[in-house]
Amino acid sequence: VPPQQQLRWSSSLPDLTTPVDVASIRLTKPKRTGRREGSWLGLPGLEARIQKEGSLIEETLKEMESDPEFQLTAKRLQEAGQAKLTLEEKKRRRRALDAMGVPDFAEFLQEAKVADVGVRRATKILQVNVGLYCNQACGHCHVESSPKRTETMSAAVAERCVELIAASPSVETLDITGGAPELNASFRRLVDGALGLSRDVEVIDRCNLTVLSEPGQEDLAEYLAERHVRVVASLPCYSSKNVDQQRGKGVFDRSIAGLRKLNDVGYGVDPGLVLDLVYNPLGAFLPPDQAALESKYREELREHFGVEFNGLFTMTNMPIKRFADFLFRRGELEEYMELLVRNFNVSTTPSLMCRDTLSVDYDGKLFDCDFNQQLRLPFTGGGLSVFDLPSTDALLNKPIRHDNHCFGCTAGMGSS
């Protein structure tokens, strides 16, 4: 054995230095080994480049100012107001369905002999939108989030949401969304409040991935991992061109960096830290087969970026808000509505989110689903808030508010 490779012992026992105060000893987190680094040429120095660039918000605002479609929407919003634009959008969908001779959604379900979908079951999921502020301004966003949105959840509403979960034994999951929910002050209040209850509640973070690189969020990955929060992350493609086209310049690089941060703390690797991805189409078409696409994502992300994840969900784009505007400008709204109706899938109806999910807006108002929330469609019979309910049991068997956008949740593999 060469001299430099020999292990020499010493009679002085140089490493016998463990202190007798063993109760104070703390283990450091183990170093993760064996990650395949990936073949993408952009990986070396990725973290350093993003850190040097700083927040994504400045780039997002710059794109919003230079994008004629964003500017047109902003002008129309200022002139007409949100309520009028939402009504106009609804009328466009109705005209598209009328042109095809398709009745309203509730009547369509009756004709299709789909029963038992018109009333709410016991609430299992409380989905809370903590606000519309976001570091991105995605072209498909059905809540129209951006850095310019200031709507945010107060501490009082967040605390009431936790109280409502505590008073509702059927609620198993707190699903936190936004905007970029992590940028809201109520996000960690909700997470810690739900996890501090006397029974187990699963907490989901709907993460855009780029938020992990935002200044002030340096501890976010560790925070989520320590609490075993399930991360459901948006990644509409495994190619930079498609992601940046839909979500903004520089988003893909930051998304990969975010995924690698999550992998570093155990997400997608350790059994107790679940990382799921979400795909939604770039344009007016349905997602591909979910199982086949998940295999393709796994292959591409592992080989090129050294990224691991647990599962992939494919989601149909809803014909509302920014995506509805996108379709209308391209003259594709009627064609897309026809696509949704033509691909009605009865097997999606038992798991529609409106059946066992309760959607909470940033101001505490309640809705059957996240899409109804954004369209300001309150419960049948009148609006309610978290302050009106002693428990979610009060909503059991309450009629569900359906409308013409609901075809998006029953097309293909659905959007619930």
Side-chain angles (χ1 to χ4, degrees):
V1 180
Q4 66 271 23
Q5 294 185 16
Q6 293 179 356
L7 181 63
R8 299 186 181 277
W9 62 275
S10 169
S11 60
S12 64
L13 302 178
D15 299 308
L16 194 62
T17 57
T18 304
V20 295
D21 184 15
V22 293
S24 65
I25 296 175
R26 298 290 182 269
L27 291 178
T28 59
K29 291 183 179 179
K31 294 181 179 179
R32 301 195 174 275
T33 59
R35 172 175 32 198
R36 182 171 179 170
E37 276 307 302
S39 61
W40 184 46
L41 297 179
L43 282 181
L46 177 62
E47 287 287 346
R49 292 197 305 274
I50 292 174
Q51 188 173 10
K52 183 178 179 180
E53 291 169 359
S55 174
L56 182 64
I57 292 173
E58 184 177 344
E59 182 62 39
T60 300
L61 289 171
K62 190 185 303 182
E63 285 200 63
M64 291 178 70
E65 293 299 326
S66 61
D67 187 327
E69 293 183 353
F70 267 114
Q71 291 304 305
L72 177 61
T73 300
K75 182 180 179 182
R76 290 176 60 233
L77 182 61
Q78 184 176 19
E79 292 174 350
Q82 186 63 69
K84 186 174 181 179
L85 291 186
T86 299
L87 179 60
E88 181 182 319
E89 175 192 309
K90 178 180 178 179
K91 289 179 177 178
R92 287 172 180 168
R93 286 193 299 271
R94 183 63 261 167
R95 284 195 291 268
L97 293 172
D98 286 343
M100 295 181 279
V102 176
D104 64 51
F105 186 74
E107 186 178 343
F108 182 91
L109 290 180
Q110 290 179 349
E111 291 181 0
K113 294 182 170 53
V114 179
D116 194 34
V117 295
V119 296
R120 295 185 58 85
R121 297 184 296 216
T123 300
K124 293 184 178 180
I125 302 171
L126 191 72
Q127 186 174 65
V128 179
N129 187 317
V130 294
L132 303 182
Y133 181 75
C134 189
N135 59 332
Q136 298 177 190
C138 303
H140 67 284
C141 183
H142 73 275
V143 301
E144 297 185 312
S145 295
S146 80
K148 292 188 175 184
R149 301 301 295 267
T150 58
E151 298 92 330
T152 187
M153 179 170 283
S154 68
V157 173
E159 289 165 5
R160 179 58 193 149
C161 286
V162 174
E163 292 171 356
L164 190 59
I165 295 172
S168 307
S170 66
V171 175
E172 303 168 350
T173 301
L174 170 63
D175 185 347
I176 310 176
T177 184
E182 307 88 347
L183 297 179
N184 187 287
S186 289
F187 174 75
R188 300 196 185 200
R189 184 180 292 113
L190 281 166
V191 172
D192 292 335
L195 294 178
L197 296 176
S198 58
R199 59 186 172 87
D200 289 340
V201 175
E202 178 189 38
V203 177
I204 295 176
D205 173 23
R206 299 273 176 171
C207 182
N208 69 10
L209 294 174
T210 63
V211 71
L212 289 149
S213 298
E214 284 296 317
Q217 298 297 322
E218 292 82 4
D219 69 332
L220 179 58
E222 289 81 3
Y223 172 85
L224 297 172
E226 287 170 1
R227 290 156 179 79
H228 288 78
V229 174
R230 179 180 175 186
V231 175
V232 178
S234 301
L235 189 70
C237 195
Y238 42 76
S239 79
S240 60
K241 182 178 180 180
N242 282 359
V243 171
D244 285 0
Q245 181 178 346
Q246 185 180 107
R247 312 193 77 195
K249 182 180 178 182
V251 168
F252 181 76
D253 287 13
R254 290 170 183 255
S255 296
I256 293 300
L259 286 169
R260 288 170 64 88
K261 283 182 180 180
L262 291 170
N263 278 177
D264 282 344
V265 298
Y267 276 99
V269 181
D270 294 346
L273 295 174
V274 179
L275 169 60
D276 292 322
L277 303 181
V278 177
Y279 164 86
N280 63 282
L282 184 64
F285 50 89
L286 297 178
D289 177 76
Q290 183 167 291
L293 187 62
E294 180 179 314
S295 295
K296 183 62 174 176
Y297 260 66
R298 199 174 303 282
E299 173 190 332
E300 294 287 335
L301 292 178
R302 180 178 291 162
E303 177 179 350
H304 299 300
F305 310 104
V307 164
E308 302 290 341
F309 65 96
N310 293 95
L312 174 79
F313 299 113
T314 57
M315 306 291 281
T316 301
N317 281 328
M318 294 295 289
I320 67 173
K321 298 297 181 176
R322 283 185 191 152
F323 190 65
D325 288 342
F326 165 83
L327 293 171
F328 180 73
R329 287 193 300 267
R330 293 170 61 92
E332 296 175 350
L333 179 59
E334 183 174 336
E335 181 182 344
Y336 189 69
M337 293 301 297
E338 183 181 357
L339 175 76
L340 298 181
V341 174
R342 191 169 63 244
N343 287 275
F344 173 77
N345 181 358
V346 69
S347 68
T348 62
T349 58
S351 58
L352 291 175
M353 74 166 72
C354 54
R355 305 202 65 194
D356 59 14
T357 297
L358 179 59
S359 178
V360 185
D361 201 0
Y362 70 91
D363 57 5
K365 290 187 175 67
L366 299 174
F367 300 86
D368 283 313
C369 72
D370 188 40
F371 307 120
N372 280 10
Q373 178 190 134
Q374 302 313 316
L375 295 174
R376 316 312 295 173
L377 297 176
F379 286 114
T380 301
L384 294 170
S385 84
V386 290
F387 297 101
D388 297 321
L389 296 185
S391 163
T392 60
D393 291 346
L395 300 174
L396 186 62
N397 296 322
K398 190 174 181 65
I400 294 172
R401 179 80 176 267
H402 290 137
D403 213 301
N404 54 34
H405 62 284
C406 297
F407 285 102
C409 281
T410 56
M413 298 309 296
S415 196
S416 294

